[in-house]
Amino acid sequence: MSGDSGDSRDNGIDPGVPPSGNGCVECEAGGGWWFHLRRCAQCGHVGCCDSSPAKHATGHFRATGHPLVQSFEPGESWYWDYSANELYEAGPELAPPGSHPADQPTPGPAGRVPVDWAKVLRA
């Protein structure tokens, strides 16, 4: 992945910006739930993945043009480039934390995930 040297902000990455929180910004505001989380590498916005009911990470890309997200799941460091439709196994280290808390359930958040969540995701 380019951006490992020089000014990475030129390619949609600002390594100094922390994540917006521990959950999807829009799901938290609207009382929704998510399957997995993605973090915008440019502004830190945390949104839910395309397997989640609301797909807020993709919505953020469409609204802002910020092309790169990094997984915000514990133990994952890969990036997705929406502009190129390409996966990168690794990239620049972003400001901590690198994931939601390990004790936060997936899907999440606790108390808002429907009992039939797996069926909802397949629909």
Side-chain angles (χ1 to χ4, degrees):
M1 166 187 256
S2 62
D4 293 325
S5 62
D7 190 351
S8 57
R9 287 173 288 201
D10 292 342
N11 64 5
I13 299 173
D14 187 342
V17 176
S20 60
N22 290 328
C24 174
V25 173
E26 292 84 0
C27 287
E28 291 284 22
W33 63 279
W34 55 82
F35 185 50
H36 289 130
L37 297 170
R38 308 294 178 240
R39 172 187 179 175
C40 177
Q42 190 162 346
C43 72
H45 173 275
V46 175
C48 54
C49 72
D50 283 355
S51 294
S52 300
K55 303 175 176 137
H56 287 124
T58 296
H60 177 74
F61 161 67
R62 289 182 180 140
T64 64
H66 297 169
L68 296 164
V69 292
Q70 185 178 44
S71 176
F72 199 57
E73 295 298 316
E76 297 181 0
S77 60
W78 56 263
Y79 281 79
W80 179 257
D81 184 336
Y82 286 107
S83 296
N85 201 33
E86 190 168 353
L87 176 72
Y88 301 102
E89 293 297 324
E93 187 172 327
L94 301 178
S99 71
H100 65 76
D103 63 353
Q104 180 175 305
T106 300
R112 291 204 313 249
V113 180
V115 174
D116 64 345
W117 67 268
K119 183 178 178 181
V120 171
L121 294 183
R122 287 191 302 267

